[in-house]
Amino acid sequence: MLAGIIPDREQVVIQPLIQKARHLVWNGHCKDIPALMRDCDVLVLPSAQDGFGLVVLEAFACGLPVIVSNRVGAGDCVSNHETGFIVPFGDERALEEKMDWFLQDRSRAQQMRTAVRHAAERHSWEAYGKRLVSLFDSI
């Protein structure tokens, strides 16, 4: 499942590829992200650049493990083999291997869900606020 807006200039290249794909559905803009994520086993975000992909923490909050590139800022929140995987940007083989890892045994994503939910709690706004207050208190 591919979700999100694809800019017009990229659609010219991507749209024909999506139409040829046998197992890919492009949902376009999605208003109910949690519902979409509940239908998934893993979030894949192989971005070339992403300051901090909030979608990674949204996935965690939905109990969804992730595969991200090493250029995704939120990769700092990902623990390899615990909450998902970090792959080198542009390494198609590494990305394919990690996606295949989940496909080989569908229960693997389910096994990660507890760790993913704990990661979401560690990175919640409340936890962030407590760390910030603690930092200021220590000065």
Side-chain angles (χ1 to χ4, degrees):
M1 218 180 305
L2 180 62
I5 298 170
I6 300 173
D8 291 339
R9 66 181 182 276
E10 282 91 8
Q11 266 193 45
V12 174
V13 174
I14 295 172
Q15 188 65 31
L17 297 172
I18 292 171
Q19 290 173 346
K20 288 180 185 178
R22 294 178 302 161
H23 303 288
L24 180 66
V25 175
W26 176 34
N27 290 331
H29 177 72
C30 182
K31 293 181 181 180
D32 191 354
I33 300 297
L36 176 68
M37 288 187 181
R38 280 191 292 274
D39 290 338
C40 298
D41 295 314
V42 62
L43 172 87
V44 181
L45 184 65
S47 295
Q49 60 183 16
D50 198 330
F52 191 93
L54 191 56
V55 69
V56 171
L57 295 184
E58 291 171 337
F60 284 178
C62 292
L64 197 60
V66 300
I67 302 171
V68 300
S69 79
N70 59 348
R71 293 191 179 176
V72 173
D76 291 344
C77 302
V78 179
S79 298
N80 270 315
H81 294 311
E82 184 181 333
T83 59
F85 298 100
I86 302 169
V87 297
F89 170 73
D91 187 340
E92 295 173 16
R93 183 70 187 128
L95 182 60
E96 182 181 345
E97 285 174 6
K98 296 308 179 195
M99 289 190 297
D100 192 50
W101 186 86
F102 284 101
L103 288 172
Q104 292 302 317
D105 184 350
R106 306 281 297 222
S107 70
R108 290 174 169 167
Q110 189 62 37
Q111 293 167 0
M112 286 185 165
R113 290 186 183 273
T114 301
V116 166
R117 286 192 183 101
H118 288 301
E121 291 169 8
R122 285 192 309 272
H123 298 290
S124 70
W125 283 113
E126 182 179 350
Y128 170 77
K130 287 179 181 179
R131 287 191 303 273
L132 187 62
V133 168
S134 177
L135 174 68
F136 285 128
D137 284 348
S138 69
I139 297 175

